[in-house]
């Protein structure tokens, strides 16, 4: 699955292939972060966008299952692995969270430290 370019906003959405466990842990981290009073409003907006994308990723797989199935077949990934498409800003805001667990951070960065 390739990157998606949003013409209206000129934002590139990059797929991050996450297992169901990683997506659940990410959602938990995001929901926890959104309860913080010190979270900047712009960061909160981006985190809500990431939460929305987690739901959209599941829906996309239901509507168009063959795209992800081909990638999982070729890579050997588990059947619950889905692409979560994030902009650079959404990824940066997510990675800035202290609530983010190390396994989810590693999944989002491909094991690289950012």
């Amino acid at each position: 699955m390739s990157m998606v370019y949003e013409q209206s906003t000129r934002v590139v959405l990059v797929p991050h292939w996450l297992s169901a466990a990683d997506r659940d842990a990410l959602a938990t981290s995001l929901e926890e972060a959104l309860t913080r009073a010190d979270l900047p409003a712009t960061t909160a907006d981006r985190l809500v966008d990431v939460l929305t994308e987690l739901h959209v990723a599941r829906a996309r797989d239901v509507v168009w299952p063959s795209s992800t199935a081909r990638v999982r077949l070729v890579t050997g990934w588990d059947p619950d692995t889905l692409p979560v498409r994030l902009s650079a800003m959404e990824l940066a805001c997510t990675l800035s969270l202290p609530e983010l667990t190390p396994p989810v951070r590693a999944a989002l960065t491909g094991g690289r430290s950012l």
Side-chain angles (χ1 to χ4, degrees):
M1 197 156 286
S2 61
M3 295 182 285
V4 177
Y5 177 71
E6 293 289 330
Q7 182 66 16
S8 60
T9 59
R10 301 184 187 269
V11 172
V12 175
L13 302 176
V14 179
H16 298 272
W17 290 82
L18 303 177
S19 67
D22 289 338
R23 292 191 312 275
D24 290 344
L26 175 56
T28 300
S29 297
L30 295 171
E31 289 164 356
E32 187 178 319
L34 287 167
T35 64
R36 290 187 1 222
D38 65 336
L39 190 68
T42 53
T43 300
D45 288 344
R46 297 298 180 273
L47 298 182
V48 169
D49 290 344
V50 175
L51 273 174
T52 301
E53 173 55 22
L54 290 172
H55 296 291
V56 170
R58 287 185 207 113
R60 195 181 302 115
D61 190 50
V62 170
V63 175
W64 299 291
S66 60
S67 299
T68 27
R70 281 192 303 269
V71 173
R72 289 190 297 247
L73 179 66
V74 169
T75 59
W77 288 333
D78 291 334
D80 68 350
T81 303
L82 294 176
V84 177
R85 297 175 181 172
L86 302 177
S87 70
M89 184 62 74
E90 291 166 343
L91 180 61
C93 288
T94 301
L95 293 175
S96 74
L97 300 176
E99 294 88 354
L100 201 61
T101 63
V104 175
R105 186 176 303 280
L108 287 171
T109 61
R112 301 178 309 276
S113 12
L114 297 176

